[in-house]
Amino acid sequence: YHALLLRAFAAADLPEGTKLLLVGSGPEASTLKALCAELELEDQVIFAGYIAEAYRYLRALDIFVFSSGDAEAFGIVLLEAMLAEVPIISSNASGPAEVVKDSGWLFDLSRVEDLARVLKQVVNMPEYDRKSRTLAALARVKADYSSTHFKESLWRIKPLLELNVN
C-alpha cells in the first residue's frame, strides 16, 4: 500500500517543496526506494525508518495519510493522528474508514488516481477548512474512543449476556 501512496504522490501535482515522510521499516523498504527512484521522487520523499514513539511527531505534519488496507483492522495510529489534530486522509478499507468516518478524507484503495485527487484537494485547501475536520476528529475520539465511552459500551453488553444465559 505504500507503493500506492508513492504513485499517488507522484501523480498529484503538488506544490513545489512538498515532501512525503515515510516512517517505519520493513521488508518493503528497498522496493519502495527503488520505486521512489523510478518515479523521480528522491528529493521529495524522506525515508525516516523506525522511530520509537513516532506519535510524538504527528503534530509536526501538515497531513497524515493512512494507505493501509483491510489487513489493518483498526489502526491505532489514526486515533493518535486525530488526537494530534492532524488532517487525515485514509483508505476506504472497512476498519480505517469506520474510525475516520467524516472526520477526514477517504480514498478508494484500488485507485491511485483517487488518492492523488484527495491529496491535491487537501494540500490546496485553506487551513480553516482542514481545521474544521481536525476539530471534528478530535471530538470523535473523545466521544467514541474515550475510556468512559468504552466502559459504558461494555456495561451495555451485560444485560444482553444475562438474557442469553436464562
Side-chain angles (χ1 to χ4, degrees), residues 42-135:
E42 299 96 335
D43 294 338
Q44 295 170 275
V45 178
I46 301 163
F47 288 89
Y50 171 78
I51 298 176
E53 299 180 357
Y55 66 89
R56 293 177 178 226
Y57 301 97
L58 287 171
R59 283 189 183 262
L61 303 177
D62 293 319
I63 298 168
F64 179 83
V65 180
F66 189 82
S67 60
S68 295
D70 288 321
E72 188 80 45
F74 183 77
I76 192 79
V77 70
L78 289 167
L79 296 181
E80 293 169 344
M82 292 163 100
L83 286 168
E85 298 181 47
V86 178
I88 296 171
I89 297 173
S90 175
S91 75
N92 65 345
S94 59
E98 178 63 28
V99 173
V100 174
K101 289 194 176 178
D102 60 354
S103 61
W105 293 265
L106 300 177
F107 69 92
D108 184 337
L109 187 58
S110 65
R111 297 180 46 227
V112 169
E113 63 276 4
D114 196 43
L115 176 52
R117 177 190 59 77
V118 175
L119 274 169
K120 186 171 185 167
Q121 172 192 348
V122 177
V123 165
N124 290 315
M125 80 177 24
E127 177 66 27
Y128 60 85
D129 286 341
R130 287 196 305 255
K131 189 66 176 173
S132 68
R133 293 267 181 118
T134 62
L135 293 175

